[in-house]
């Protein structure tokens, strides 16, 4: 009666438990995903076996004391999602006194005990190939109607563990589900309990929200349920802050839409997070300019970099991650500078931002424009930036590419310092540009020795010809970049 395709690495585990006389069910996210017709990311098994029973049954296991979970390890499988199958004994939770975690976790007697402590009905369905579904809370139906609803009274469940509030929000963004109205009201009433949750856990949920397909939905919902204060309080100031004509949305919505475009493009976490914070300090820096008849936000990227650092630090993001996001926030305005773009300005920016961040910064810029709600099509100026960034990043063609240098000519070949050194190197460069295999130390040394036998006039001619060739090569390389970006 196998209704789903379950990898044999997983059935091997449930079968072994059953053959040893225990119950074994798939449970949680994997059953939810199977019902939705999606491939689970990982597989969880629940059983009435105790940890030592489980470790005895399988060759390679490791045991996590805190939760009683035993990881059953299969090193031979190429499929990473089944390399570790987590087997957890039935559990029941006793009292919660701090909205954080139960005072004690103990093993439960039955599958029913175990399902009862789970957060949402969609996560409280058990499935076994032998026995089919065990679904006391109507999870299958809720999955079909795409609704998130708690197991038991929502208020009680959120009082036990406030992280469930954020998990509900995260699942809306990941699964595209709605939150049942009673559960939603309870979220709103209990949101302040999130204050008791460790920032690291909030950070992890927030990160999953950002990496989901619809992070924007999660943030609109958090606004509606008045819980931003406990997750990303700095966003609140942007609500209702109007901007100039280049923007359709208030600062808050602009930030969300910038982040969302990163998700729509499938771009990195860093771009999405920087998108969420890039204009975080527009509210504090907004001034009315009489001359312009418009709002200005001078220095918002400088203040914003500071605010973003503080906010991400509060959320306990790692220092390296924070540094990168702050850099992106700090320099996101570079592109809007109305002044003429010079290559040296671009070089300076590349130095400020770091080569490793430069393409993320350009992508953030794309998100920013789309997030304004009044995007022009990719304007010429932006393509020009990309072209110039590429130009700034490439190594120019020059005598420094040669596997020989002036020092060798002076010290080993006993040539006096003077123009003959440059002529010789440029003559060698021309040969190498025509045939790159000649960029060989031995060859160049011999060839240099020959060249240095020439008189000034002859050597100068060769050198100048080399210089011309170098310039032509440079020009061509830059033209190729410009053609690629349609700015020629
Ligand atoms: P995914 O792995 O796709 O994020 P998941 O539902 O598997 O989703 P996990 O965090 O892996 O989520 O948790 C596994 C299961 O454990 C959940 O499906 C749920 O039944 C239960 N669970 C997890 N966290 C809680 C919690 N805070 N309160 C109650 N039950 C929870
Ligand atoms: Mg899971």
């Amino acid at each position: 009666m196998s209704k789903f395709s379950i990898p044999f690495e997983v059935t091997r585990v449930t079968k072994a438990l059953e053959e040893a006389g225990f119950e074994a069910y798939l449970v949680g996210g994997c059953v939810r995903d199977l019902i939705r017709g999606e491939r689970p990311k990982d597989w969880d098994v629940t059983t009435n076996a105790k940890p030592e029973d489980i470790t005895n049954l399988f060759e390679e296991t490791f045991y996590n004391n805190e939760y009683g979970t035993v990881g059953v390890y299969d090193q031979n499988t190429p499929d990473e999602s089944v390399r570790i199958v987590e087997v957890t004994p039935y559990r029941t939770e006793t009292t919660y006194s701090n909205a954080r975690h139960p005072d004690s976790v103990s093993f439960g007697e039955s599958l029913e005990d175990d399902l009862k402590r789970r957060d949402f009905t969609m996560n409280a369905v058990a499935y076994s190939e032998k026995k089919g579904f065990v679904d006391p809370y109507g999870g299958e139906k809720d999955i079909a109607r795409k609704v998130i609803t708690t197991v038991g009274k929502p208020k009680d469940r959120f009082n036990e563990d406030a992280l469930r509030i954020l998990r509900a929000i995260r699942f809306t963004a990941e699964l595209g589900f709605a939150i049942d109205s009673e559960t939603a009201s309870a979220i709103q009433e209990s949101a302040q309990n999130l204050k008791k949750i460790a920032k690291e856990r909030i950070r992890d949920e927030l990160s999953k929200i950002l990496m989901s397909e619809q992070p924007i939905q999660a943030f609109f919902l958090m606004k509606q349920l008045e819980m931003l204060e406990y997750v990303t309080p700095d966003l609140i100031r942007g609500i209702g802050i109007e901007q100039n004509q280049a923007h359709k949305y208030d600062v808050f919505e602009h930030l969300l839409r910038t982040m969302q475009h990163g998700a729509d493009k499938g771009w990195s976490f860093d771009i999405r997070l920087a998108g969420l914070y890039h204009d975080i300090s527009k509210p504090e820096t907004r001034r009315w300019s009489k001359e312009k008849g418009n709002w200005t936000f001078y220095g918002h990227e400088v203040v914003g970099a500071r605010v973003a650092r503080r906010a991400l630090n509060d959320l306990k993001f790692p220092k390296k991650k924070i540094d990168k996001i702050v850099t992106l926030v700090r320099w996101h305005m570079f592109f809007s500078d109305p002044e003429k773009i010079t290559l040296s300005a671009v070089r300076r920016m590349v130095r400020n931002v770091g080569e490793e961040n430069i393409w993320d910064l350009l992508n953030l810029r794309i998100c920013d424009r789309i997030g304004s709600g009044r995007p022009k099509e990719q304007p010429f100026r932006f393509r020009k930036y990309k072209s110039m960034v590429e130009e700034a990043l490439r190594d120019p063609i020059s005598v420094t590419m040669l596997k020989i240098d002036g020092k060798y000519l002076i010290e080993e070949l006993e040539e006096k310092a003077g123009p003959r050194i440059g002529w010789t190197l440029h003559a060698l460069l021309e040969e190498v540009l025509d045939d790159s295999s000649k960029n060989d130390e031995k060859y160049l040394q011999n060839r240099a020795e020959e060249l240095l036998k020439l008189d000034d006039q002859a050597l100068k001619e060769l050198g100048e010809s080399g210089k011309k060739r170098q310039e032509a090569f440079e020009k061509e390389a830059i033209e190729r970049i410009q053609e690629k970006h349609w700015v020629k």
Side-chain angles (χ1 to χ4, degrees):
M1 66 166 290
S2 177
K3 188 169 160 186
F4 304 122
S5 85
I6 298 167
F8 85 89
E9 291 90 340
V10 177
T11 37
R12 144 187 117 94
V13 175
T14 50
K15 279 222 173 82
L17 284 159
E18 286 171 340
E19 276 161 22
F22 298 108
E23 298 171 7
Y25 291 88
L26 295 175
V27 72
C30 65
V31 178
R32 179 191 72 222
D33 292 342
L34 285 171
I35 296 172
R36 289 168 60 237
E38 299 285 329
R39 201 188 147 71
K41 302 191 292 290
D42 46 42
W43 298 82
D44 293 308
V45 172
T46 186
T47 177
N48 61 347
K50 296 290 176 289
E52 56 279 16
D53 301 325
I54 307 165
T55 44
N56 285 339
L57 270 177
F58 301 97
E59 213 161 284
E60 251 188 292
T61 58
F62 39 88
Y63 179 42
N64 173 339
N65 229 339
E66 198 183 347
Y67 296 108
T69 298
V70 177
V72 177
Y73 188 67
D74 182 348
Q75 64 166 4
N76 295 320
T77 175
D79 179 353
E80 229 180 282
S81 71
V82 295
R83 197 160 296 151
I84 296 168
V85 176
E86 300 214 317
V87 183
T88 309
Y90 294 154
R91 284 164 42 184
T92 131
E93 272 147 28
T94 42
T95 49
Y96 292 78
S97 45
N98 58 4
R100 242 194 329 210
H101 48 70
D103 299 333
S104 64
V105 175
S106 40
F107 295 129
E109 289 302 310
S110 64
L111 178 62
E112 282 67 25
D113 283 347
D114 185 87
L115 296 178
K116 194 169 169 212
R117 65 153 184 107
R118 292 182 181 266
D119 48 4
F120 305 111
T121 58
M122 62 178 187
N123 290 340
V125 183
Y127 176 78
S128 120
E129 282 181 288
K130 230 164 73 181
K131 303 202 175 138
F133 287 111
V134 179
D135 181 16
Y137 303 103
E140 220 186 334
K141 188 188 87 232
D142 286 340
I143 294 166
R145 35 176 219 134
K146 302 189 176 211
V147 169
I148 299 169
T149 181
T150 54
V151 168
K153 282 246 157 292
K155 198 87 216 287
D156 298 344
R157 303 311 311 282
F158 295 136
N159 277 334
E160 285 169 7
D161 179 3
L163 190 73
R164 291 171 187 156
I165 292 171
L166 207 44
R167 282 173 59 84
I169 303 291
R170 189 246 296 178
F171 285 126
T172 66
E174 282 184 343
L175 309 175
F177 283 22
I179 300 184
D180 158 80
S181 63
E182 197 191 334
T183 297
S185 313
I187 287 179
Q188 193 165 356
E189 286 168 40
S190 318
Q192 62 199 348
N193 284 343
L194 281 168
K195 282 193 258 185
K196 300 181 203 161
I197 298 293
K199 295 290 187 217
E200 288 83 349
R201 298 179 77 197
I202 293 190
R203 171 200 68 202
D204 290 346
E205 289 299 324
L206 187 65
S207 301
K208 287 182 182 170
I209 289 172
L210 283 169
M211 287 317 286
S212 72
E213 278 179 24
Q214 287 294 321
I216 194 167
Q217 295 307 334
F219 280 92
F220 277 133
L221 192 55
M222 288 196 281
K223 175 189 171 205
Q224 193 191 335
L225 298 178
E226 301 177 305
M227 51 185 283
L228 287 170
E229 194 182 334
Y230 313 108
V231 182
T232 49
D234 294 290
L235 290 183
I236 298 172
R237 290 192 298 278
I239 296 173
I241 301 293
E242 296 301 326
Q243 312 194 57
N244 54 36
Q245 289 80 16
H247 283 269
K248 193 163 160 192
Y249 307 111
D250 65 7
V251 171
F252 175 73
E253 186 162 350
H254 169 60
L255 289 173
L256 300 199
R257 286 179 180 270
T258 302
M259 164 197 67
Q260 181 60 41
H261 192 67
D264 290 344
K265 287 283 182 184
W267 283 339
S268 70
F269 176 77
D270 297 351
I271 293 175
R272 300 179 196 197
L273 186 56
L276 185 63
Y277 279 97
H278 76 285
D279 281 347
I280 199 72
S281 289
K282 271 193 165 175
E284 325 60 301
T285 52
R286 189 174 75 154
R287 303 279 181 278
W288 182 258
S289 158
K290 268 207 200 121
E291 281 148 65
K292 294 189 176 173
N294 220 334
W295 294 110
T296 63
F297 302 92
Y298 288 123
H300 76 271
E301 71 278 25
V302 179
V303 184
R306 259 195 322 265
V307 170
R309 181 174 295 285
R310 205 237 319 109
L312 298 175
N313 209 31
D314 285 350
L315 281 167
K316 312 274 186 209
F317 277 99
K319 163 108 179 25
K320 254 182 94 173
K321 180 68 52 182
I322 297 176
D323 287 344
K324 169 152 186 197
I325 305 302
V326 167
T327 301
L328 293 174
V329 172
R330 172 64 186 83
W331 299 106
H332 81 270
M333 286 302 289
F334 176 84
F335 307 97
S336 346
D337 277 349
E339 58 172 46
K340 261 202 352 246
I341 316 158
T342 63
L343 188 60
S344 65
V346 174
R347 286 218 178 88
R348 208 161 43 242
M349 181 195 53
V350 171
R351 226 176 308 123
N352 287 331
V353 177
E355 272 184 42
E356 68 287 8
N357 299 326
I358 191 69
W359 297 110
D360 279 358
L361 186 70
L362 286 152
N363 285 342
L364 173 61
R365 176 68 192 158
I366 291 174
C367 296
D368 191 0
R369 280 186 30 255
I370 300 293
S372 73
R374 300 202 201 288
K376 306 178 203 100
E377 54 189 295
Q378 175 123 286
F380 177 80
R381 202 170 72 179
F382 186 63
R383 294 202 309 276
K384 178 92 181 140
Y385 273 123
K386 285 210 283 197
S387 172
M388 291 180 88
V389 165
E390 216 169 292
E391 234 182 278
L393 286 174
R394 62 181 277 283
D395 293 322
I397 289 162
S398 84
V399 292
T400 58
M401 291 164 38
L402 296 172
K403 296 228 165 93
I404 192 171
D405 58 13
K407 196 164 163 253
Y408 180 88
L409 307 189
I410 294 165
E411 288 176 5
E412 304 295 324
L413 304 181
E414 296 174 348
E415 180 65 35
K416 281 200 308 289
R420 285 174 62 85
I421 303 287
W423 296 334
T424 309
L425 291 174
H426 277 95
L428 294 173
L429 180 64
E430 177 160 25
E431 292 191 27
V432 167
L433 287 175
D434 287 335
D435 176 358
S436 59
S437 73
K438 290 187 173 163
N439 198 4
D440 167 85
E441 202 174 342
K442 201 82 229 134
Y443 173 82
L444 292 175
Q445 287 171 356
N446 290 333
R447 189 71 189 117
E449 200 169 349
E450 278 171 39
L451 285 168
L452 286 172
K453 288 179 190 146
L454 297 172
D455 63 26
D456 281 4
Q457 191 49 38
L459 190 57
K460 185 174 177 199
E461 268 168 34
L462 284 179
E464 277 170 356
S465 155
K467 207 163 213 156
K468 282 215 183 78
R469 185 67 60 91
Q470 172 193 6
E471 281 158 13
F473 262 76
E474 268 288 281
K475 191 157 165 264
E476 209 194 297
I478 289 164
E479 277 173 3
R480 263 202 305 273
I481 292 175
Q482 292 172 338
E483 272 163 20
K484 181 176 142 192
H485 294 284
W486 299 88
V487 292
K488 235 194 100 50

